[in-house]
Amino acid sequence: MNNYNLPPLLQTIEELHQEWNTNVILTCFIEDKLVGSVRGTINKDGICSISKLIVDPEQQNKGIGKALMAAIEKEFAHCTKYTLFTGSDTPNTFYLYCKLGYKETDRQTNNGITMIYMEKENNPLL
């Protein structure tokens, strides 16, 4: 996105530690190199928030993002709904989420960045 003012890039060490303590963080390695990651957490209403799906640009379009999403959804298979957001400047990520069944629910622009909010219903009893 060529924007270095995104919240994940501005996190403090303390914020990262707190996130580590409150989120499930899944990673993907090829040999000894970290090539992907995704995070998820569930709130008291049973809604899973998925965040920070990342894939090394050299490893994109190889199924890593799709596999990480499947894994985080499996980790929270008991939730009622999955929610996430992505930037409008990342159309490949938006396309991936649409292919995985996520529907756009809102768009918000702040500081010149448009975020697309998406969700997917889950029926944990099926």
Side-chain angles (χ1 to χ4, degrees), residues 38-79:
V38 67
R39 300 168 195 202
T41 189
I42 194 164
N43 69 17
K44 63 180 174 54
D45 297 321
I47 298 172
C48 172
S49 297
I50 298 172
S51 62
K52 299 179 182 164
L53 174 67
I54 58 167
V55 177
D56 182 326
E58 292 179 11
Q59 299 298 325
Q60 291 179 358
N61 300 310
K62 296 181 179 179
I64 294 170
K66 183 178 178 180
L68 284 166
M69 287 297 293
I72 200 74
E73 287 180 3
K74 184 176 180 181
E75 186 74 27
F76 292 99
H78 58 286
C79 76

Side-chain angles (χ1 to χ4, degrees), residues 1-125:
M1 293 175 60
N2 290 323
N3 183 336
Y4 299 98
N5 290 315
L6 299 172
L9 299 176
L10 301 174
Q11 283 183 292
T12 65
I13 293 294
E14 292 79 22
E15 290 169 332
L16 286 171
H17 282 280
Q18 179 63 28
E19 198 168 273
W20 181 264
N21 291 327
T22 60
N23 285 254
V24 170
I25 302 173
L26 303 179
T27 57
C28 177
F29 285 83
I30 295 179
E31 297 175 5
D32 290 334
K33 182 179 179 188
L34 176 66
V35 296
S37 179
V38 67
R39 300 168 195 202
T41 189
I42 194 164
N43 69 17
K44 63 180 174 54
D45 297 321
I47 298 172
C48 172
S49 297
I50 298 172
S51 62
K52 299 179 182 164
L53 174 67
I54 58 167
V55 177
D56 182 326
E58 292 179 11
Q59 299 298 325
Q60 291 179 358
N61 300 310
K62 296 181 179 179
I64 294 170
K66 183 178 178 180
L68 284 166
M69 287 297 293
I72 200 74
E73 287 180 3
K74 184 176 180 181
E75 186 74 27
F76 292 99
H78 58 286
C79 76
T80 58
K81 181 185 343 184
Y82 302 102
T83 63
L84 55 81
F85 61 89
T86 188
S88 64
D89 290 342
T90 57
N92 291 344
T93 307
F94 177 74
Y95 177 70
L96 169 66
Y97 295 145
C98 288
K99 279 188 359 181
L100 296 176
Y102 287 81
K103 306 288 184 213
E104 182 176 339
T105 59
D106 194 18
R107 283 185 187 234
Q108 295 180 15
T109 301
N110 189 5
N111 294 327
I113 300 171
T114 300
M115 301 307 292
I116 305 168
Y117 293 83
M118 305 179 81
E119 65 182 40
K120 179 166 98 170
E121 295 295 324
N122 186 41
N123 187 342
L125 300 177

